Amino acid sequence: MAGVLNFSQPSLFRPLSGSRQIPRTSFSIRATSESSKTPQTPSSSSTTSTQEKPEPTPFAAPPNFKPPEPKRFAVRPDKALDILGAALALFFRFGTGVFVSGYSASFVSKDEIPPDQYTLEIAGFKVKETSKLGPRPGKPIEIYEYESCPFCRKVREIVAVLDLDVLYYPCPRNGPNFRPKVLQMGGKKQFPYMVDPNTGVSMYESDNIIKYLVGKYGDGSVPFMLSLGLLTTLTEGFAMIGRLGKGQSYTPAKLPPKPLEVWAYEGSPFCKVVREVLVELELPHLQRSCARGSPKRQILIEKAKHFQVPYLEDPNTGVQMFESADIVEYLRATYAQ
């Protein structure tokens, strides 16, 4: 099995500002399994054929790897400073990206919510959480970005607010795969860059992307903390002080044939430390957004019998796991060169 990068021939066009309709420029990551057969030669007695065995996949979980048991709200002692630094963003951004659009919560009795439903329990009461979501895209939005960019963070926050699933193509500095792809598609290396496969729209400029997403998949209104212009950008930059330089530069890594799948949301410091490594290793990943109020929290409960983020599913190795510190170690052991 071999990883193949499949680039379709781009059309020739000049870079344009704002949004535009372009012929769909596709980019796929796929696995191929090649086998060869010798021609069958008839004989008076029998017909024989030989077949080569497919090459084994180069990706496997580390030796003796065992997914850890999830521990709610636990921080591994050696990672306490990492989580504390990542949590500074909550202060500078007033929790933007923690709650889904239209979020509301109320205390109800224990009997009102079935035991198999996702809920918070506080002082003998359960918290009923609701949200108001807009139209859902049929296919995940595709975004080319990197972790330590304040303009990219603005877009990641609106992704959490709108509860969108996004296929992220990380573009760290000196990354060999997706930075050149953005130049090929849009004409310049500028981030973030969004492609909506549902409409054919692609665009640069974080503010334009935010306005497009809330107009197409929200109620049309930009959240207050994302509507302050230069002040928004400055606070996004301050939010990264605790993790300065993380998720910025490329670490040589093997490109997997299939994108990883991560259940996460921008407001979680535990998710942030995992996202940093995904970006540094330039690993494409489908993020299942699940901020507070997201109905996907219940979906993860049904899938994994537990809710906790981040949660990683790696289709290249079959690994499924919780716990941010262990996920970081797994990613480095499996993909870093």
Side-chain angles (χ1 to χ4, degrees):
M1 183 176 290
V4 177
L5 294 178
N6 181 21
F7 297 91
S8 64
Q9 188 68 24
S11 57
L12 299 177
F13 54 88
R14 294 183 181 274
L16 299 174
S17 60
S19 64
R20 58 190 176 215
Q21 296 279 347
I22 62 171
R24 179 75 175 97
T25 304
S26 63
F27 176 75
S28 62
I29 303 174
R30 61 187 177 87
T32 60
S33 177
E34 297 180 353
S35 62
S36 60
K37 292 185 178 182
T38 58
Q40 291 186 346
T41 305
S43 67
S44 57
S45 58
S46 65
T47 300
T48 62
S49 65
T50 62
Q51 181 176 355
E52 295 181 0
K53 294 182 179 179
E55 295 181 4
T57 175
F59 300 102
N64 303 317
F65 173 80
K66 182 180 179 181
E69 291 295 323
K71 306 176 186 66
R72 289 185 66 108
F73 306 115
V75 179
R76 213 168 73 180
D78 61 321
K79 300 298 180 182
L81 290 179
D82 291 341
I83 299 302
L84 181 61
L88 284 178
L90 297 172
F91 170 76
F92 287 110
R93 294 296 298 149
F94 292 96
T96 308
V98 173
F99 303 100
V100 172
S101 180
Y103 176 84
S104 65
S106 59
F107 287 99
V108 298
S109 66
K110 283 186 175 182
D111 298 333
E112 188 169 330
I113 299 178
D116 60 346
Q117 296 292 305
Y118 170 79
T119 185
L120 283 178
E121 189 169 334
I122 302 174
F125 291 89
K126 290 187 176 180
V127 180
K128 184 177 182 180
E129 299 174 287
T130 60
S131 58
K132 297 178 181 178
L133 301 179
R136 302 291 83 191
K139 300 176 183 178
I141 310 299
E142 299 171 11
I143 298 179
Y144 296 74
E145 54 85 58
Y146 61 100
E147 182 67 26
S148 64
C149 165
F151 302 99
C152 298
R153 183 182 170 91
K154 288 164 63 175
V155 172
R156 294 197 303 269
E157 285 181 351
I158 199 62
V159 163
V161 171
L162 298 177
D163 199 40
L164 298 175
D165 290 347
V166 169
L167 181 54
Y168 283 112
Y169 290 106
C171 299
R173 185 178 299 168
N174 300 322
N177 296 301
F178 305 121
R179 278 189 172 241
K181 183 62 180 175
V182 170
L183 178 62
Q184 182 186 36
M185 291 190 297
K188 53 185 175 180
K189 288 184 180 180
Q190 179 178 312
F191 306 97
Y193 181 72
M194 183 209 73
V195 177
D196 187 346
N198 303 282
T199 62
V201 169
S202 66
M203 64 177 70
Y204 292 101
E205 299 296 340
S206 56
D207 288 339
N208 291 341
I209 294 172
I210 290 170
K211 291 176 182 176
Y212 170 81
L213 292 176
V214 299
K216 193 72 179 176
Y217 303 112
D219 60 6
S221 61
V222 176
F224 177 73
M225 285 298 294
L226 288 168
S227 65
L228 303 177
L230 179 59
L231 183 58
T232 293
T233 304
L234 288 175
T235 56
E236 296 285 13
F238 293 149
M240 299 178 180
I241 290 176
R243 300 294 293 162
L244 199 61
K246 300 295 184 180
Q248 177 174 305
S249 299
Y250 175 65
T251 298
K254 298 172 288 186
L255 186 66
K258 297 178 182 179
L260 283 65
E261 190 166 332
V262 183
W263 298 69
Y265 63 99
E266 184 61 24
S268 166
F270 298 95
C271 297
K272 180 172 178 58
V273 295
V274 169
R275 270 266 314 163
E276 289 169 352
V277 176
L278 287 167
V279 170
E280 290 170 356
L281 297 177
E282 206 183 24
L283 298 176
H285 53 283
L286 175 62
Q287 180 172 301
R288 303 289 188 187
S289 296
C290 49
R292 298 223 66 89
S294 171
K296 279 175 277 187
R297 293 194 166 212
Q298 177 61 32
I299 295 175
L300 184 55
I301 284 275
E302 296 170 357
K303 183 183 188 70
K305 311 306 179 186
H306 180 76
F307 178 83
Q308 183 176 310
V309 290
Y311 178 68
L312 174 71
E313 296 179 276
D314 189 345
N316 304 288
T317 63
V319 166
Q320 300 176 346
M321 62 186 300
F322 294 99
E323 292 299 323
S324 59
D326 296 274
I327 291 174
V328 165
E329 292 174 353
Y330 164 82
L331 292 173
R332 293 194 184 281
T334 304
Y335 293 104
Q337 290 184 328

